[in-house]
Amino acid sequence: MIEARRLHILRAVADHRTVTAAAAALYLTPSAVSQQLAALEQETGHRLVERGAKGVRLTPAGEILLGHTNVVLAQLERAAAELAAYGAGAAGTVTVASFATGIAQVVVPAVVRLAATAPGIRIRVQDAEGDASLPMLLDRQVDVAVAVEYRGAPPADDPRLSHVPLYAEPFDAVVPVTHRLADTVEVPLAELAKDPWIGPYPGNPCHDVVVLACENAGFQPLLEHSSDDFRAVVALASADVGVALVPRSALRGMDLTGVVVRPVDGVAPTRRVFAAVRRGAEEHPLIRPVLDALGEAAGEA
């Protein structure tokens, strides 16, 4: 009989590619993870992982088992949801991970809404960039992730996750008030090809949006200054050290002294925001109201 907790470990190793990283995500020791993998191999009668200089990869037998693992774990999530519904699970804590502007845009309004409509549900919020919240969700550190589409992100049909689209927002050009394009109604990105740029670090989903938008305009941005904090990005632009693309919602309520904000000429770069839960958990009586409240908040944003 295959134990479900060992399937969790197999998936964590497949996701993180090393025993050490999987152990850290699962709050286990590397030796405990190795022991559980060995026990799983004994249960199945197949070698499931291969260790190499660059980490761990699944064998063909391991890949077969991983496919079944995603189905089994999703079904266990559904079982937990149905049992919670049977027990009238109207009270409990749901942990939501979201990037900062997502917290302001949809999470906080959802918390306010839930306080009135589902007072038994307590929301615990964790600030996490869009590329960090999905691994946290898969590692069971959080229950809901508010994330952004980015290159390398799990696709919408990933068997481990269920996606709920929330909103899409454009990026606006932020340039110093002394910039040659400060008086234009819309900023053509191609005209910024030779400017120094300010932007998020590689790995941040917004970095991908900026770079891809510039590539579509025919150039690679010269990223001379890096920050994941858009307040810092705008402050640097106000010091006349570069130009930037910033999500529109991140500019709300910000001190824009020294800069001008202009729409991008043509098709604006856009980030698409969604909520994700582990597949099978979407109808859990604690999680369903949270997803509904996030969707309603996004619709009113």
Side-chain angles (χ1 to χ4, degrees):
M1 181 68 70
I2 297 174
E3 293 191 17
R5 64 192 177 98
R6 290 174 182 154
L7 296 179
H8 280 293
I9 290 172
L10 178 71
R11 188 159 80 178
V13 169
D15 288 342
H16 293 280
R17 303 296 182 183
T18 71
V19 168
T20 300
L26 297 171
Y27 301 101
L28 297 172
T29 64
S31 61
V33 169
S34 295
Q35 290 170 7
Q36 292 300 315
L37 286 175
L40 186 57
E41 289 181 328
Q42 186 173 5
E43 286 175 343
T44 61
H46 292 278
R47 187 179 181 186
L48 302 174
V49 298
E50 292 179 343
R51 293 170 173 79
K54 295 184 179 181
V56 175
R57 68 178 185 88
L58 298 188
T59 64
E63 294 287 355
I64 291 172
L65 184 57
L66 180 64
H68 290 285
T69 292
N70 292 328
V71 175
V72 169
L73 296 184
Q75 192 60 39
L76 288 174
E77 293 282 359
R78 293 186 186 97
E82 289 187 19
L83 287 170
Y86 175 78
T93 299
V94 177
T95 303
V96 180
S98 173
F99 56 99
T101 51
I103 292 174
Q105 185 92 341
V106 293
V107 176
V108 169
V111 169
V112 173
R113 187 183 300 272
L114 287 166
T117 61
I121 299 178
R122 175 173 175 259
I123 304 297
R124 180 183 293 123
V125 180
Q126 296 189 15
D127 188 339
E129 289 298 336
D131 59 326
S133 60
L134 293 178
M136 293 169 67
L137 178 66
L138 289 169
D139 291 335
R140 308 183 73 80
Q141 297 173 21
V142 301
D143 304 302
V144 180
V146 176
V148 178
E149 291 181 4
Y150 61 94
R151 286 187 284 192
D157 60 354
D158 189 297
R160 302 169 297 173
L161 300 170
S162 286
H163 285 59
V164 178
L166 293 179
Y167 64 93
E169 65 171 325
F171 281 58
D172 289 325
V174 177
V175 301
V177 292
T178 57
H179 194 273
R180 64 189 182 280
L181 298 179
D183 293 330
T184 60
V185 177
E186 296 182 332
V187 172
L189 282 185
E191 296 295 322
L192 301 176
K194 294 184 179 180
D195 285 82
W197 279 73
I198 312 156
Y201 284 100
N204 185 314
C206 289
H207 173 89
D208 288 347
V209 175
V210 171
V211 171
L212 184 58
C214 293
E215 289 175 352
N216 289 339
F219 69 96
Q220 286 282 342
L222 178 61
L223 284 163
E224 288 197 353
H225 310 280
S226 298
S227 175
D228 288 334
D229 186 334
F230 287 117
R231 290 170 299 179
V233 171
V234 170
L236 286 166
S238 72
D240 201 9
V241 300
V243 299
L245 288 174
V246 177
R248 188 166 292 172
S249 66
L251 294 167
R252 293 175 184 169
M254 194 181 292
D255 181 4
L256 300 176
T257 303
V259 301
V260 295
V261 178
R262 297 287 183 265
V264 172
D265 185 28
V267 180
T270 302
R271 71 171 172 182
R272 291 172 174 79
V273 180
F274 62 91
V277 298
R278 291 181 294 276
R279 189 173 293 273
E282 56 271 21
E283 296 304 327
H284 191 286
L286 294 179
I287 291 176
R288 182 74 259 168
V290 175
L291 293 176
D292 291 342
L294 288 169
E296 291 165 4
E300 295 175 358

